[in-house]
Amino acid sequence: MFQEESSSVTSSPLQVFSMMSLSPNLGSPYPWLRELKSEERGLYLIHLLLTCANHVATGSLENANIALEQISQLASPDGDTMQRMAAYFTEALADRILKAWPGLHKALNSTRISLVSEEILVRKLFFEMFPFLKVAFVLTNQAIIEAMEGEKMVHIIDLNAAEPAQWIALIQALSARPEGPPHLRITGINQQKEVLDQLAHRLTEEAEKLDIPFQFNPIVSKLENLDIEKLRVKTGEALAISSVLQLHTLLASDDELLRKKSPLASKNLNGIQLQRALQMNQSTLGELLEKDMVNGYSPSPDSTSSSPLSSSASAKVDSFLNALWGLSPKLMVVTEQDSNHNGSTLMERLLESLYSYAALFDCLESTVSRASLERLKVEKMLFGEEIKNIIACEGAERKERHEKLDKWIQRLDLASFGNVPLSYYGMLQARRLLQGYNCDGYKMKEENGCVVICWQDRPLFSVSAWRCRK
């Protein structure tokens, strides 16, 4: 969808739209908005989202409300990529405004029911609809198999134990070892007991079927509260650790210190970034979202240090990585979202997340029908909630602090972990898996022995393997 060129758009609609006043005098429901072509509508939605975000950041609620009203005429959770995405960004901006009135916000959310079964379902749908986790599991398992060659006692710690498919595949591979299977112990960490119970049942069943000596050790805990002693690592066993989309959540714990440093600088930065974004001269939505905005938005000097690696900024993640290093694992494999969603300002996070979520929504636009209820669930319950957390939340409440691979490489290096290049055979399996998806938008890039999984040229997830440096 993003690649199509528009012959009808000769100059950037953003330039035209930026001169229009966002005022109620336009009348409601702004009939001219509905006559816009898809590309024009997409560009105007981005313009409105940026304008609205700037009003939210500067506390101009009346203007924010006018922008939200206009967006609601164009956004739709069952429209094209940009319409669907805009619906969730709008909801996130509105939620941020409501948080200024805690009583009102709590009252409106007081009857929300979060069902564990629904969360399990939406995670399963994400696993099935996208190849990202499958690729991560293939690379992780192959790295574990190679690291554990000849080991008699193998202990795996899964920091986000939820999906049985990964460990069922590993159990099957270990059962076929020429030297025979090892004694396998998996420690699974999850906040929900129900998820761990289901996982334990599936894995025990598979191990019994293949006659592998197996134990499952469930730990019901948030990662930030994990008691390392409960992992019960024994002498004589070879340890591997798997972390899938978990480490970034620990970055929330120490954020209050950073936020209180300079609120004024953040406010000024919001305004500067909006001006830059509105100077963009791309003619289509595709050019806008898929190219780096060289003349428009480029990270400001302090955006690169918006999540510094100083001990004060990431004390929690540093101490956690040090604790894991203390367990002397033979191998640790880390999968993370490869995006910069941890900026210190709202505008920075909005722009960065527009890029990456446009790619994720476009994956679904290219592979799943717009009418699909499963697609709607993934977009609303997974991406919509992530967007809301990135845009509407601050401090310890903002858990979705996705960061780029180079930041994780620096952190792990500081914690005395050394990078282990992912194996050629693992990469071969992962490439075959991607090719089998019948969709040429998915790509895999190798970076310093790590893997970045992309949609078109937009990096979305990274996988890296590590060992203890003595």
Side-chain angles (χ1 to χ4, degrees):
M1 162 196 173
F2 287 166
Q3 288 74 26
E4 63 190 34
E5 292 292 323
S6 168
S7 55
S8 62
V9 185
T10 50
S11 65
S12 167
L14 269 181
Q15 291 178 318
V16 181
F17 293 142
S18 62
M19 291 184 277
M20 294 178 183
S21 65
L22 284 176
S23 74
N25 302 335
L26 287 169
S28 185
Y30 316 119
W32 61 274
L33 289 176
R34 288 205 277 269
E35 292 166 20
L36 293 174
K37 294 182 174 69
S38 176
E39 292 90 343
E40 294 170 332
R41 183 179 59 221
L43 282 165
Y44 192 35
L45 274 169
I46 290 168
H47 165 73
L48 284 171
L49 285 168
L50 292 168
T51 304
C52 181
N54 194 54
H55 290 319
V56 172
T58 55
S60 179
L61 298 188
E62 194 177 334
N63 286 330
N65 182 56
I66 293 164
L68 287 171
E69 194 181 347
Q70 282 198 317
I71 296 169
S72 69
Q73 300 300 319
L74 298 176
S76 165
D78 54 8
D80 62 28
T81 294
M82 195 60 221
Q83 285 179 302
R84 295 170 94 107
M85 197 171 77
Y88 297 109
F89 274 92
T90 311
E91 193 180 344
L93 286 166
D95 198 60
R96 188 179 176 99
I97 293 169
L98 278 177
K99 281 178 184 286
W101 290 278
L104 185 61
H105 188 264
K106 278 177 190 157
L108 284 172
N109 289 283
S110 62
T111 56
R112 279 188 70 185
I113 299 170
S114 179
L115 295 172
V116 175
S117 56
E118 285 285 298
E119 287 175 33
I120 295 170
L121 171 67
V122 84
R123 275 200 303 264
K124 193 172 171 55
L125 288 172
F126 176 75
F127 178 72
E128 286 166 0
M129 285 182 176
F130 295 91
F132 305 120
L133 290 183
K134 293 188 183 82
V135 168
F137 291 168
V138 162
L139 291 167
T140 302
N141 282 4
Q142 188 57 37
I144 290 172
I145 288 162
E146 290 175 20
M148 298 301 165
E149 205 173 312
E151 295 288 354
K152 301 270 193 296
M153 306 269 288
V154 173
H155 183 185
I156 294 165
I157 295 170
D158 185 352
L159 299 181
N160 182 26
E163 179 51 62
Q166 177 180 11
W167 304 127
I168 285 174
L170 184 75
I171 288 168
Q172 290 168 350
L174 290 174
S175 76
R177 281 201 323 184
E179 70 268 38
H183 184 290
L184 178 64
R185 192 152 68 92
I186 294 178
T187 295
I189 298 142
N190 198 294
Q191 291 179 51
Q192 295 154 342
K193 184 178 182 295
E194 188 180 329
V195 173
L196 291 172
D197 288 346
Q198 286 182 21
L199 187 62
H201 174 71
R202 291 287 309 278
L203 299 186
T204 305
E205 202 175 48
E206 190 66 26
E208 282 173 0
K209 197 165 74 182
L210 295 169
D211 200 24
I212 288 186
F214 176 73
Q215 275 178 294
F216 187 80
N217 176 31
I219 298 176
V220 181
S221 172
K222 286 183 177 178
L223 202 61
E224 65 207 67
N225 303 330
L226 179 66
D227 177 0
I228 295 289
E229 295 295 312
K230 285 190 176 169
L231 298 174
R232 305 210 317 265
V233 176
K234 298 171 186 171
T235 49
E237 58 185 15
L239 178 66
I241 298 169
S242 167
S243 174
V244 179
L245 313 182
Q246 284 303 291
L247 291 181
H248 68 265
T249 62
L250 297 173
L251 294 168
S253 302
D254 306 285
D255 183 62
E256 291 299 329
L257 294 169
L258 289 176
R259 282 184 64 226
K260 288 170 182 167
K261 275 185 183 172
S262 179
L264 183 65
S266 298
K267 202 169 182 179
N268 292 341
L269 185 61
N270 281 328
I272 292 162
Q273 287 181 345
L274 177 75
Q275 282 178 323
R276 285 178 181 171
L278 293 183
Q279 285 162 4
M280 293 179 294
N281 196 25
Q282 278 82 11
S283 60
T284 69
L285 175 62
E287 287 173 329
L288 180 68
L289 285 174
E290 291 198 339
K291 286 181 187 172
D292 287 324
M293 295 191 247
V294 179
N295 302 318
Y297 165 69
S298 57
S300 55
D302 55 338
S303 87
T304 48
S305 60
S306 54
S307 50
L309 295 176
S310 68
S311 56
S312 65
S314 51
K316 185 76 181 177
V317 79
D318 289 349
S319 67
F320 186 76
L321 290 173
N322 287 332
L324 294 183
W325 183 89
L327 299 173
S328 301
K330 272 194 98 171
L331 180 77
M332 179 161 78
V333 186
V334 175
T335 301
E336 278 291 332
Q337 290 93 338
D338 193 54
S339 303
N340 180 20
H341 296 156
N342 196 19
S344 55
T345 70
L346 170 62
M347 289 305 293
E348 196 183 332
R349 298 204 302 270
L350 183 91
L351 285 159
E352 293 288 350
S353 52
L354 274 171
Y355 272 137
S356 42
Y357 284 97
L360 286 166
F361 275 76
D362 197 40
C363 292
L364 291 176
E365 180 74 1
S366 304
T367 55
V368 187
S369 151
R370 284 185 187 175
S372 161
L373 189 61
E374 286 80 9
R375 173 180 172 180
L376 189 66
K377 279 188 173 175
V378 168
E379 289 173 340
K380 180 173 176 56
M381 294 167 62
L382 188 62
F383 299 154
E385 288 304 306
E386 285 180 4
I387 290 165
K388 197 183 288 183
N389 191 267
I390 292 164
I391 301 299
C393 299
E394 292 296 350
E397 196 186 359
R398 181 158 61 83
K399 300 287 186 193
E400 302 300 340
R401 295 168 173 268
H402 313 143
E403 294 199 331
K404 302 290 286 179
L405 176 62
D406 58 353
K407 285 267 178 82
W408 290 110
I409 289 173
Q410 286 177 58
R411 271 201 193 94
L412 285 149
D413 187 55
L414 280 171
S416 297
F417 282 95
N419 186 238
V420 179
L422 289 161
S423 82
Y424 171 77
Y425 185 59
M427 300 230 206
L428 201 66
Q429 286 177 287
R431 284 190 200 282
R432 276 193 201 133
L433 195 153
L434 277 185
Q435 284 160 3
Y437 247 73
N438 297 325
C439 183
D440 57 7
Y442 292 114
K443 296 185 170 74
M444 218 175 88
K445 281 193 241 172
E446 190 183 344
E447 281 183 22
N448 307 318
C450 311
V451 161
V452 178
I453 315 158
C454 311
W455 172 254
Q456 308 297 357
D457 294 318
R458 169 63 46 187
L460 291 172
F461 293 85
S462 67
V463 185
S464 56
W466 303 85
R467 58 176 169 71
C468 286
R469 260 200 336 261
K470 295 301 176 199

